[in-house]
Amino acid sequence: MSGSPPASARHVARHVAIVMDGNGRWASAQGLPKVAGHRAGALAAKNLIPRAKELGIKTLTLFTFSKENWGRNPQEVRDILSLILDEIQSSESELQRQEVRLKIIGALDDFPSDIAEQVRLLEAKSAHYNGLTMIFALSYGARQDITQAVSAIGHKIANGQIDPDDLDEALIAEHLWTAGLPTPELFIRTSGELRLSNFLLWEIAYTELYFTTCLWPDFTPDHLNAALDSFANRKRYFGKSRHV
Ligand code: FPP
């Protein structure tokens, strides 16, 4: 712990969204193959769960596989997919023990059907847990999400289900993959890159941003705590005057 006050005494970000970046650089710094970096990255994600709950986080969204990641070297894509499948197969009892609800955002149908089915099954089985909601962004891209939402709304307008005059922000939000989920209060990106990379663009309009040079596999619960400290010290105005 960094000596910060307990969760109850500081303003906690209830929903934290993370771009887990730097697995490749971590692996090459250790002289290991890239897959070892992704494996260490998956472990780093798992290690956050108990502390995230203790710190008062209710929702953790992890950018696990982007739409753009399909363009990586085919062997790396296979390695990441098999890692995701391994994690899913091995995590059921752990999710149950920690009361973690698994939720997926993204185009899950892009995945091989065995992976997609297992993910959906685990999502359904864990739907009633309320210890922590872990959202995995899989084959996710924010622009793709906004596009599919606009398309769905367009179809509903065309067949008379929606009156175009009723179109508002809430209606758009209802058609996104993130429908019904709270918006993130804190966005974290590791590895020193200062980009959003097509992650949750609609949802993070008023989210606090936190960047760290720590490579994802080295990101520990103490790093998460430091990010929450930074969040707790920020004043948020949501575009309103800071002079009240
Ligand atoms: C970015 O590092 C990371 C990814 C593209 C994949 C993230 C996937 C995992 C952490 C493994 C699966 C996780 C779970 C929770 C099942 P990078 O490869 O872009 O790193 P680099 O920029 O240093 O090359």
Side-chain angles (χ1 to χ4, degrees), residues 83-99:
L83 189 58
I84 291 170
L85 189 60
D86 282 355
E87 288 299 325
I88 287 160
Q89 282 169 337
S90 64
S91 60
E92 189 174 344
S93 58
E94 188 60 14
L95 292 187
Q96 191 177 13
R97 203 175 62 76
Q98 305 256 20
E99 305 220 300

Side-chain angles (χ1 to χ4, degrees), residues 112-124:
S113 56
D114 58 331
I115 297 189
E117 271 166 37
Q118 296 209 41
V119 171
R120 284 210 181 85
L121 196 63
L122 203 53
E123 201 179 15

Side-chain angles (χ1 to χ4, degrees), residues 185-205:
E185 289 174 284
L186 178 64
F187 169 105
I188 298 174
R189 182 173 190 144
T190 57
S191 90
E193 304 295 341
L194 307 177
R195 285 188 293 279
L196 303 178
S197 293
N198 201 18
F199 190 40
L200 301 173
L201 298 183
W202 173 275
E203 295 82 357
I204 62 172

Side-chain angles (χ1 to χ4, degrees), residues 20-26 34 38-39 41-42 45 62-65 69 72 76 80 83-84 87 136 216:
M20 307 181 287
D21 199 4
N23 294 348
R25 278 162 283 168
W26 182 91
K34 202 162 185 190
H38 293 314
R39 220 175 273 132
L62 301 177
F63 204 0
T64 309
F65 194 84
N69 287 157
R72 290 194 177 204
E76 187 185 353
I80 296 179
L83 189 58
I84 291 170
E87 288 299 325
F136 279 34
W216 177 251

